[in-house]
Amino acid sequence: MTVQTLPKQQAGSVTQGLRNALLSLCMATPLALAAPEGVTQVDLGKAKVSMINDGVYARPLDEKFVTNAPLEQVTQALRDVGLPDDRFDIPFNPLLVDIGKERVLIDTGHGEFGGPTMGLLLQRLQQAGVEPESVTTVLITHFHGDHINGLRNKAGELAFPNAKVMVPAGEWDWWMNDERMAQTPEAGRGTFNAARRVFGPLADSVVKVQPGDEVVPGIRALDAAGHTPGHTAYMIDGGKRKLLYWADTTNIAIFVRNPDWSVQFDMDAEKARETRRRIADLAIREKALVGGFHLPGSAVGELKAKGNGYEFTPLK
């Protein structure tokens, strides 16, 4: 991460121990680097990460969104943090990681399949000077459309033609199971259909990832199941600092403060709740920065325990 250079001091005015303490403080409070609009870059040491905003969707709030809390409690939680209480503004944030010789994109956004305020990933990558052909690996966290649809356009062309594609084995086994799809009512087959459109032509080359695998040097897969059966987070060892990209471990910002709330998109609500706490506690224990697909602001920042939940502070 960026470390500010200390001003020169007269000999003897600052001890070496104090100098080291100040340097450690700077290292513990990273600053986002200068970047184009919609891009947040952080230097972790041997890795540089770029959070790329793919757009935002304003979803009207109703009593179905949070399944185990009354609507009045949810609207009050939104007001408590200065947000509108009639909707959720949902951001979408894939992560680009430059580490060693690898340029790794984690999740691909909506591509050409989202609404008018979505699908900005390729545009913002190019504004940041990143050509799609330079991406060496695409990592997928799970198979929901906002994470996979950007891999292939409507003409069937790959957006990142030179990239190896790696997916969680648990997701592949669930969504690519023809028998399970056939048993699912037609109205509920959206993710099954999207997975086949995106990954079907790549079936022989897709690499299946297990929790604990080092998918590329410096990036390890973590079990984060609950939101979906094979939902996977990734821990990035940047040398000076780690970053835990937790994808949809929390879907919306207020779920960081209220980790026991269940969102309607979580397929296994109880497992998702346990995962939120386990992953958040891991990030705090490892002193890792946290990045999330639906986190607010820069979508990467500091996490700390607060009350019965957690508090996320985006980097500036």
Side-chain angles (χ1 to χ4, degrees):
M1 70 214 60
T2 302
V3 177
Q4 298 174 349
T5 303
L6 292 172
K8 292 183 179 179
Q9 304 287 342
Q10 293 184 356
S13 63
V14 179
T15 65
Q16 187 62 41
L18 179 57
R19 184 183 297 274
N20 290 340
L22 289 171
L23 283 170
S24 296
L25 178 61
C26 290
M27 289 175 62
T29 313
L31 300 174
L33 304 174
E37 180 183 359
V39 179
T40 301
Q41 295 182 333
V42 184
D43 188 352
L44 302 175
K46 64 182 181 182
K48 184 175 78 172
V49 297
S50 302
M51 193 70 77
I52 315 290
N53 179 253
D54 188 55
V56 64
Y57 171 64
R59 183 194 187 281
L61 177 60
D62 58 37
E63 66 279 355
K64 296 179 182 179
F65 191 76
V66 181
T67 62
N68 64 341
L71 181 60
E72 298 78 18
Q73 189 175 350
V74 177
T75 55
Q76 185 60 54
L78 289 167
R79 289 192 292 269
D80 288 345
V81 294
L83 294 175
D85 63 4
D86 61 343
R87 71 178 192 272
F88 283 115
D89 291 328
I90 305 176
F92 308 95
N93 297 287
L95 182 70
L96 184 73
V97 184
D98 284 294
I99 185 167
K101 297 180 180 179
E102 296 278 356
R103 171 164 279 172
V104 181
L105 179 65
I106 306 180
D107 287 339
T108 64
H110 294 84
E112 296 179 349
F113 298 87
T117 60
M118 296 167 269
L120 303 176
L121 175 64
L122 289 178
Q123 172 188 327
R124 286 179 162 162
L125 282 173
Q126 290 179 340
Q127 289 170 350
V130 176
E131 294 298 327
E133 293 80 7
S134 70
V135 174
T136 59
T137 301
V138 170
L139 291 179
I140 298 297
T141 62
H142 64 295
F143 280 14
H144 281 166
D146 52 338
H147 297 258
I148 67 172
N149 278 337
L151 186 62
R152 189 184 295 278
N153 64 21
K154 289 183 177 180
E157 300 164 334
L158 289 171
F160 308 98
N162 298 322
K164 174 172 59 177
V165 177
M166 306 181 77
V167 306
E171 288 291 284
W172 185 275
D173 292 344
W174 183 274
W175 299 110
M176 301 300 280
N177 184 297
D178 291 336
E179 182 179 353
R180 182 175 290 112
M181 180 176 174
Q183 294 170 352
T184 302
E186 186 68 33
R189 293 181 185 175
T191 302
F192 290 98
N193 291 328
R196 281 157 176 74
R197 178 187 61 80
V198 172
F199 299 118
L202 304 174
D204 292 336
S205 61
V206 167
V207 177
K208 283 83 168 182
V209 172
Q210 299 285 353
D213 286 353
E214 187 175 40
V215 292
V216 302
I219 303 180
R220 188 169 301 279
L222 303 175
D223 173 24
H227 177 61
T228 60
H231 183 255
T232 297
Y234 295 98
M235 181 71 84
I236 300 153
D237 185 353
K240 293 181 180 178
R241 190 76 180 269
K242 294 180 179 179
L243 186 147
L244 197 163
Y245 184 71
W246 70 20
D248 284 16
T249 296
T250 58
N251 299 84
I252 307 297
I254 61 169
F255 288 89
V256 179
R257 293 192 171 203
N258 302 277
D260 295 324
W261 285 2
S262 298
V263 68
Q264 68 181 112
F265 304 124
D266 288 338
M267 293 177 64
D268 185 331
E270 178 58 22
K271 193 167 188 178
R273 184 194 68 78
E274 294 172 354
T275 291
R276 273 190 286 279
R277 290 193 174 275
R278 174 172 54 83
I279 292 294
D281 289 343
L282 173 64
I284 292 170
R285 212 166 46 243
E286 295 285 332
K287 297 181 173 60
L289 293 174
V290 166
F293 196 76
H294 298 299
L295 287 176
S298 63
V300 57
E302 304 276 0
L303 187 73
K304 66 179 181 181
K306 184 175 182 179
N308 190 44
Y310 308 90
E311 183 171 49
F312 171 75
T313 303
L315 298 183
K316 304 297 184 182

